Amino acid sequence: MRVYNFSAGPSVLPEAVLKRAQDEMLCYKNSGQSVMEMSHRSKEYGEIIASAEALLRKIMNIPENYKVLFLQGGASSQFAMVPLNLMTKNKKADYVVTGAWAKKAYKEACRYGECRVVASSEDKTFSYIPELDASTFDKDADFFHICMNNTIYGTKFPRLPETGDVPLVADMSSCILSEPVDVSKFGVIYAGAQKNMAPAGLTVVIIREDLIGEPQDITPTMFRYSTHAENDSMFNTPPCYCIYVLGLVLEWLDSLGGLEEMKKINEKKAAMLYDYLDSSAMFSATVQGDSRSLMNIPFVTGDADLDKKFIAAATAAGFVNLKGHRSVGGMRASIYNAMPVEGVEALVEFMKKFEKENA
Ligand SMILES: *Cc1c(COP(=O)(O)O)cnc(C)c1O
């Protein structure tokens, strides 16, 4: 029996996608082979990667002057790749530190140039998105970096910073494809695939073409955006199977009605959980107001032993991976695209029952 999996990542995939992958496991179309066994230079695979890119472009409405790159190394490699490739003019960058990932990105970039923390929410365990004052942004920065959705703390930027001519770079690992975004507002968007796109092993980068320039001298070949852009993500072996599953996930998203529709479903799921948390006498959300994430919802009882009891009872009932990140404690429900509405409904029912029984 399958459980309701609230893991922050790697995370739940749509059941329809898993079934399709299962159907095609031994023999993909007429190829007589699994996608796992195929040469990445074969005609069949060429079609798989091209159609995944085309569908991503359609669903995210990616403008012509942006390249889509299918890389490896996780979002964490982008923490270095972004500064190595973009910190080339004034060797300066602005960072907003809204969580552990944003901080890691900032620290890594400090190795390659002069980085500045424009704002931080570390004073309150990253439980909010700080107000940003555009007049404090460095107009000479080579880029401005944000982590759009903070997976561990459950916050999301309610609006984008106005960075003017300075390219906005966003880590969208845990919110990509959850709702429409205006790609043209960004210089670079990057995301590890294992939250909302595909299995772990693929990193998607969407980059405005004019930003693919000459990187810093020390940049390894594999860390140059130009290497991958010039070779259509085929400089070396790409994460073939992950890209295939991404294609299936995108077909599933397209059949649902794309990102407008996905957003409605995600808002419905998040509202069900937040509404209950806001009305419960036992549980409460750790994030308030317009900083709340649609994808990751941390909550606590205020009593560590009761939290533990809840997590154990939930796991036994088939609601798994609800334990909060060690830096926040309590619980966290990650309700990515592939978590069905029924999964959140069932979780809320379970929480109500637990509250009654443990009041
Ligand atoms: C998971 C996550 C990362 C780390 O991704 P890896 O692919 O494991 O390197 C970075 N940023 C955010 C926002 C994440 O959620």
Side-chain angles (χ1 to χ4, degrees):
M1 202 195 83
R2 281 176 61 77
V3 292
Y4 284 122
N5 180 6
F6 295 90
S7 170
S11 32
V12 59
L13 283 162
E15 208 164 286
V17 165
L18 296 175
K19 286 201 168 124
R20 172 92 179 272
Q22 181 181 43
D23 286 345
E24 294 176 340
M25 179 58 73
L26 292 184
C27 181
Y28 176 77
K29 293 192 175 166
N30 298 320
S31 70
Q33 331 152 46
S34 170
V35 176
M36 285 190 204
E37 304 169 301
M38 262 175 206
S39 162
H40 60 294
R41 310 271 177 209
S42 65
K43 182 167 162 291
E44 284 96 347
Y45 194 75
E47 283 164 10
I48 290 172
I49 191 169
S51 66
E53 178 179 340
L55 208 43
L56 185 66
R57 284 185 173 278
K58 177 189 159 189
I59 288 175
M60 287 187 72
N61 197 16
I62 300 173
E64 283 292 322
N65 62 325
Y66 283 72
K67 278 272 186 193
V68 172
L69 307 177
F70 294 132
L71 310 180
Q72 303 190 45
S76 301
S77 290
Q78 294 308 308
F79 298 167
M81 222 164 148
V82 165
L84 281 168
N85 283 271
L86 268 58
M87 266 178 146
T88 51
K89 293 195 188 85
N90 299 320
K91 292 211 169 184
K92 294 200 291 182
D94 276 351
Y95 277 75
V96 184
V97 174
T98 50
W101 296 118
K103 198 170 172 179
K104 280 188 177 161
Y106 162 72
K107 282 200 167 152
E108 185 69 16
C110 290
R111 297 160 62 98
Y112 306 112
E114 194 186 316
C115 292
R116 202 171 59 115
V117 176
V118 177
S120 165
S121 50
E122 194 164 11
D123 59 336
K124 291 182 183 157
T125 330
F126 299 120
S127 59
Y128 66 101
I129 299 291
E131 278 300 328
L132 297 176
D133 172 2
S135 73
T136 64
F137 301 174
D138 184 351
K139 302 208 167 29
D140 293 328
D142 289 330
F143 64 89
F144 187 105
H145 183 279
I146 61 169
C147 180
M148 189 105 150
N149 183 80
N150 297 278
T151 324
I152 296 174
Y153 311 93
T155 62
K156 185 187 74 165
F157 276 74
R159 58 205 148 258
L160 296 178
E162 298 287 345
T163 62
D165 292 334
V166 175
L168 179 61
V169 176
D171 178 352
M172 288 198 196
S173 294
S174 51
C175 61
I176 195 161
L177 299 178
S178 64
E179 60 182 329
V181 289
D182 182 351
V183 175
S184 73
K185 293 256 193 301
F186 298 86
V188 181
I189 292 170
Y190 64 88
Q194 68 275 21
K195 290 13 186 298
N196 225 0
M197 304 185 109
L202 167 66
T203 310
V204 174
V205 174
I206 301 165
I207 180 168
R208 215 174 64 208
E209 273 169 355
D210 63 286
L211 297 173
I212 309 174
E214 191 52 37
Q216 295 189 12
D217 285 344
I218 56 162
T219 310
T221 305
M222 280 294 287
F223 265 47
R224 295 170 176 250
Y225 287 130
S226 58
T227 299
H228 302 284
E230 284 159 14
N231 291 282
D232 294 324
S233 304
M234 288 274 195
F235 173 75
N236 71 324
T237 318
C240 299
Y241 196 76
C242 293
I243 295 167
Y244 156 74
V245 178
L246 170 62
L248 300 184
V249 168
L250 292 168
E251 283 182 35
W252 170 81
L253 252 176
D254 200 32
S255 73
L256 281 183
L259 297 187
E260 288 292 348
E261 208 47 47
M262 196 68 249
K263 180 184 186 186
K264 282 186 205 152
I265 298 168
N266 286 331
E267 283 176 340
K268 179 176 168 184
K269 288 187 290 183
M272 281 190 322
L273 194 45
Y274 282 124
D275 287 350
Y276 168 62
L277 291 170
D278 290 344
S279 68
S280 165
M282 176 180 282
F283 298 103
S284 59
T286 58
V287 177
Q288 302 301 324
D290 67 0
S291 294
R292 284 178 165 180
S293 167
L294 281 181
M295 297 281 99
N296 312 97
I297 306 187
F299 56 95
V300 293
T301 63
D303 171 347
D305 290 333
L306 193 57
D307 288 349
K308 243 190 196 159
K309 186 177 177 190
F310 172 75
I311 292 162
T315 306
F319 304 96
V320 308
N321 290 318
L322 279 168
K323 193 171 183 315
H325 191 269
R326 59 188 181 282
S327 61
V328 182
M331 285 69 69
R332 170 179 49 172
S334 293
I335 51 172
Y336 295 116
N337 287 353
M339 171 57 63
V341 174
E342 307 85 74
V344 181
E345 259 164 10
L347 175 65
V348 170
E349 282 315 305
F350 178 80
M351 289 169 74
K352 284 182 182 165
K353 189 164 146 269
F354 183 88
E355 179 170 359
K356 218 180 257 165
E357 290 168 1
N358 292 273

